[in-house]
């Protein structure tokens, strides 16, 4: 079995929405062979809670407006550390960068085929590491100034 056209359409639109809100490391997996509950997973992350929320809101709005899709379930809202949007055909995970590293969902799904994403979404790969490096440099500079 492979992801349906509807699933691919949802994934592509959600990935573009996440990229437009500057999500990091957007990736999608076809999980239809290993899970009967959904066709595909979309993973994205952001360096802070406010941005996680912004990405989630944009994905929801775009899928609703462009594809008339509403999530049947939304979890993890209050803390905005890991928000899950369940659209039945696809499940979207938007995580705070720290949660993304800790839970490493990619390791769980690495044997599943990766789905093709829009160019903007692909361009986000490595952004979390890039952001972490810049943050560490800023922190080191600030720490140096405090001494």
């Amino acid at each position: 079995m492979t992801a349906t056209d509807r699933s691919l359409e949802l994934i592509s639109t959600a990935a573009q929405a996440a990229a437009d809100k500057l999500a990091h490391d957007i990736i999608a997996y076809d999980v239809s062979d290993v899970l009967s509950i959904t066709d595909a997973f979309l993973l994205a992350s952001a360096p802070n809670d406010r941005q996680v929320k912004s990405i989630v809101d944009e994905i929801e709005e775009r899928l609703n407006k462009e594809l008339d899709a509403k999530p049947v379930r939304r979890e993890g809202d209050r803390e905005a550390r890991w928000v899950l949007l369940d659209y039945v055909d696809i499940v979207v995970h938007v995580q705070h960068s720290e949660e993304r590293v800790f839970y490493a969902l990619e390791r769980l799904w690495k044997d599943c085929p990766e789905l093709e994403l829009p160019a903007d979404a692909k361009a986000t790969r490595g952004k979390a590491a890039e952001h972490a490096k810049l943050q560490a440099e800023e922190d080191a500079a600030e720490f140096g100034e405090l001494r």
Side-chain angles (χ1 to χ4, degrees), residues 136-147:
E137 288 169 3
E138 286 175 19
D139 292 349
E142 192 176 310
F143 183 72
E145 290 171 12
L146 294 176
R147 289 178 135 193

Side-chain angles (χ1 to χ4, degrees), residues 30-42:
D30 180 338
V31 296
S32 60
D33 280 343
V34 292
L35 293 176
S36 58
I37 56 168
T38 191
D39 283 346
F41 277 168
L42 180 73

